[in-house]
Amino acid sequence: MTTTRMRPAAIQLTPAAQARIAALMADAPAGAIGVKLSTPRRGCSGLAYSADYVSIADPLDERIETPGGLFFVDGGSVLYLIGSTMDWQEDDFTAGFVFENPNAKGSCGCGESFTV
């Protein structure tokens, strides 16, 4: 008999990040099924974090169910993000997702991009 065990998600979402995803999905454009995180090549360090609405589920993407909606991690980005934590932080002047990524070996001065 073969047993299958649940594998942990590639990235952990804090309660604040989950709440932000719920807020995004509450105001999502028609046809959006979730929010997707990817790491496109850009910035001075090579890779950047990018979150966008997604309307079609890619079978290669990691799928994480949150209380407020689906969260996807781009299949090509998973290796750069394994073990990461994603948080939502805001203060009087800025607001955004913040990443604690154990795979990042460095980042640019502005914090917009990272290298592995």
Side-chain angles (χ1 to χ4, degrees), residues 55-75:
S55 57
I56 299 172
D58 184 328
L60 298 177
D61 291 346
E62 173 106 8
R63 179 182 172 143
I64 301 170
E65 294 188 29
T66 74
L70 293 175
F71 182 73
F72 298 89
V73 179
D74 175 67

Side-chain angles (χ1 to χ4, degrees), residues 15-97:
Q18 290 182 25
R20 182 60 183 162
I21 290 167
L24 288 169
M25 289 309 297
D27 293 329
I33 62 166
V35 175
K36 182 175 180 175
L37 176 66
S38 60
T39 56
R41 296 198 177 281
R42 71 171 184 241
C44 33
S45 289
L47 298 170
Y49 300 105
S50 178
D52 297 294
Y53 291 110
V54 63
S55 57
I56 299 172
D58 184 328
L60 298 177
D61 291 346
E62 173 106 8
R63 179 182 172 143
I64 301 170
E65 294 188 29
T66 74
L70 293 175
F71 182 73
F72 298 89
V73 179
D74 175 67
S77 300
V78 169
L79 289 177
Y80 305 128
L81 298 170
I82 291 174
S84 295
T85 300
M86 184 172 117
D87 191 18
W88 174 260
Q89 296 179 2
E90 56 185 276
D91 60 29
D92 291 341
F93 301 103
T94 61
F97 288 113

Side-chain angles (χ1 to χ4, degrees), residues 101-113:
N101 186 343
N103 306 298
K105 302 297 182 221
S107 63
C108 66
C110 64
E112 291 294 317
S113 61

